[in-house]
């Protein structure tokens, strides 16, 4: 047995211990645990460990001078509380959320637009970002029979990877590994099916640059290309945590909504990958602006910068 294998087993053992503990907690206790850990990490751990500067720089890019230091810290702390609660909710979700009690935990916004999109004979791209509880959205679609291929990165630890795969597949979905996903995604699109993915990660220097909070951000062009190639609708959605109600609710509550449905057949979008990508980036930006503390600011969204054309290159092109 290799050292790496031992480490993976140890990590999974700790994870299973956390699972057992969290499953025993009440709704109020789980919230208190997540908030306590998040506040300890924010106030006591070195800021390098919590990637405070990355979050702060992202917030400065997004909100500029309108953001005070106090508000920035409020958002960053809120983000960590949200992320810790998200982990707890994923652990509790299979036991807490069922079709029988769905209305107690979830409210819908523009659900008819979502159902209309999902019941056409056209393929659909279910698109969101690292906002709210994106896993809640996926589970919700599965509970009502809308199966999808969920594009996700493979985890380094195979035991943890299997747990998350089983979690996502328990309501009828199946995982598509992000590495080498093109064939499976194409098959799903050709069959008029659905794929679910997150569209707010940095795509590197070769990505398509569109505005996100007013600054060019490298974005994967594959989403727009898929929509054009397979005439697929892009359904931009979110799952936003609602304020807690410990008196009347047995568990956390979310609003699952459709921010925009993008149809590549629209005149201004036909054959235009740039316009499609900008449209869904704008939709994701609107979602984040409404509840910035529920966004994953740790991710370096503006890591890549557009290539600057040199004077020699411009002169050569002009000639």
């Amino acid at each position: 047995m290799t050292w790496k294998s031992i480490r993976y087993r140890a990590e999974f053992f700790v994870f299973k211990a956390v699972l057992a503990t969290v499953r025993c907690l009440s709704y109020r206790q789980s919230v208190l645990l997540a908030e306590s850990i998040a506040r300890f990490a924010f106030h006591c751990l070195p800021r390098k460990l919590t990637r405070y500067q990355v979050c702060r720089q992202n917030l400065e890019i997004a909100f500029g001078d309108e953001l005070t230091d106090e508000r920035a810290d409020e958002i960053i702390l809120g983000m960590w509380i949200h992320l810790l609660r998200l982990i707890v909710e994923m652990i509790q979700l299979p036991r807490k959320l069922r079709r029988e009690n769905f209305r107690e935990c979830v409210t819908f916004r523009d659900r008819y637009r979502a159902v209309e999109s999902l019941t056409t004979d056209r393929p659909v791209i279910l698109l969101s970002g690292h906002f709210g509880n994106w896993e809640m959205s996926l589970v919700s679609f599965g509970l009502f029979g809308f199966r999808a291929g969920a594009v996700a990165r493979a985890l380094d630890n195979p035991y943890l990877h299997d747990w998350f795969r089983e979690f996502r597949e328990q309501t009828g979905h199946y995982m598509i590994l992000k590495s080498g996903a093109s064939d499976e995604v194409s098959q799903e699109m050709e069959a008029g099916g659905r794929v679910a993915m997150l569209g707010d990660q940095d795509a590197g220097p070769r990505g398509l640059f569109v505005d996100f909070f007013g600054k060019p951000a490298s974005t994967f062009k594959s989403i727009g290309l898929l929509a054009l190639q397979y005439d697929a609708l892009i359904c931009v959605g979110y799952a936003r945590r609602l304020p807690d109600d410990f008196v009347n609710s047995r568990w956390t509550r979310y609003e699952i909504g459709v921010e925009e449905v993008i149809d590549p057949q629209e005149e201004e979008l036909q054959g235009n990958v740039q316009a499609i990508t900008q449209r869904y980036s704008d939709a994701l930006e609107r979602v984040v602006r409404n509840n910035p503390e529920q966004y994953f600011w740790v991710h370096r969204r503006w890591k890549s910068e557009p290539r600057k054309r040199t004077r020699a290159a411009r002169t050569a092109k002009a000639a």
Side-chain angles (χ1 to χ4, degrees):
M1 184 178 296
T2 65
W3 167 247
K4 182 179 291 187
S5 177
I6 294 173
R7 178 168 64 86
Y8 287 157
R9 289 174 183 269
E11 290 173 349
F12 189 63
F13 176 80
V14 173
F15 179 70
K16 294 287 284 185
V18 172
L19 288 181
T21 301
V22 169
R23 284 169 177 165
C24 295
L25 299 178
S26 67
Y27 167 33
R28 187 188 294 267
Q29 289 171 337
S30 65
V31 172
L32 180 61
L33 175 64
E35 289 189 353
S36 299
I37 295 174
R39 291 183 186 280
F40 171 80
F42 180 80
H43 292 293
C44 301
L45 293 181
R47 289 192 163 179
K48 185 175 181 180
L49 291 179
T50 60
R51 293 175 65 84
Y52 176 87
Q53 291 302 327
V54 173
C55 296
R56 191 69 177 87
Q57 290 169 6
N58 284 339
L59 288 169
E60 288 177 0
I61 292 172
F63 297 104
D65 296 337
E66 67 183 85
L67 187 73
T68 64
D69 291 339
E70 292 76 13
R71 178 55 179 155
D73 283 353
E74 183 181 289
I75 292 174
I76 296 171
L77 174 59
M79 177 200 71
W80 283 114
I81 292 174
H82 167 71
L83 290 176
L84 266 294
R85 289 192 60 176
L86 188 151
I87 294 171
V88 170
E89 289 162 3
M90 284 185 64
I91 295 171
Q92 296 178 334
L93 197 151
R95 297 186 180 186
K96 294 288 188 179
L97 186 65
R98 303 176 302 279
R99 289 187 65 172
E100 295 76 17
N101 71 338
F102 197 83
R103 291 181 181 273
E104 298 176 14
C105 305
V106 175
T107 59
F108 288 102
R109 173 174 167 254
D110 285 345
R111 64 176 174 177
Y112 296 107
R113 293 177 68 193
V115 173
E116 183 180 31
S117 300
L118 293 167
T119 53
T120 66
D121 57 358
R122 296 169 63 183
V124 179
I125 300 172
L126 299 170
L127 186 67
S128 190
H130 289 82
F131 173 87
N133 191 335
W134 51 91
E135 300 289 354
M136 177 75 79
S137 299
L138 192 62
V139 169
S140 299
F141 283 119
L143 285 175
F144 289 91
F146 295 113
R147 165 189 171 278
V151 180
R153 184 181 70 83
L155 298 180
D156 295 333
N157 188 317
Y159 304 106
L160 291 175
H161 176 81
D162 288 343
W163 187 90
F164 280 95
R165 176 182 55 78
E166 292 174 5
F167 171 83
R168 291 176 176 131
E169 293 181 351
Q170 64 186 321
T171 52
H173 306 297
Y174 72 99
M175 273 189 67
I176 299 176
L177 295 182
K178 192 172 183 179
S179 176
S182 57
D183 289 342
E184 289 186 81
V185 170
S186 296
Q187 290 174 10
E188 191 71 29
M189 292 285 96
E190 288 174 354
R194 313 173 190 96
V195 294
M197 60 182 70
L198 303 179
D200 63 336
Q201 292 176 304
D202 178 82
R206 295 187 178 182
L208 187 63
F209 284 87
V210 297
D211 285 346
F212 188 61
F213 283 86
K215 181 173 180 178
S218 178
T219 309
F220 289 100
K221 64 182 74 173
S222 55
I223 297 170
L225 290 172
L226 282 170
L228 289 172
Q229 182 177 355
Y230 296 102
D231 192 28
L233 297 171
I234 302 176
C235 189
V236 184
Y238 63 89
R240 176 176 68 92
R241 180 185 288 108
L242 299 175
D244 291 308
D245 184 356
F246 295 114
V247 176
N248 300 308
S249 299
R250 296 182 180 180
W251 198 48
T252 187
R253 300 182 304 134
Y254 274 88
E255 176 188 86
I256 294 179
V258 176
E259 182 63 28
E260 185 166 3
V261 176
I262 301 170
D263 189 341
Q265 292 183 5
E266 293 180 30
E267 184 176 353
E268 65 270 24
L269 300 181
Q270 291 180 10
N272 195 333
V273 176
Q274 184 90 20
I276 292 173
T277 307
Q278 185 65 68
R279 179 80 70 85
Y280 78 69
S281 292
D282 289 342
L284 291 175
E285 179 183 328
R286 293 194 298 272
V287 170
V288 175
R289 282 187 179 275
N290 288 333
N291 295 93
E293 70 282 354
Q294 295 190 33
Y295 188 60
F296 195 51
W297 296 104
V298 171
H299 171 60
R300 296 182 62 189
R301 183 65 187 93
W302 293 273
K303 178 181 179 180
S304 301
E305 296 185 0
R307 294 180 179 178
K308 296 181 179 179
R309 294 168 57 190
T310 64
R311 179 179 297 181
R314 290 196 298 269
T315 302
K317 186 173 183 179

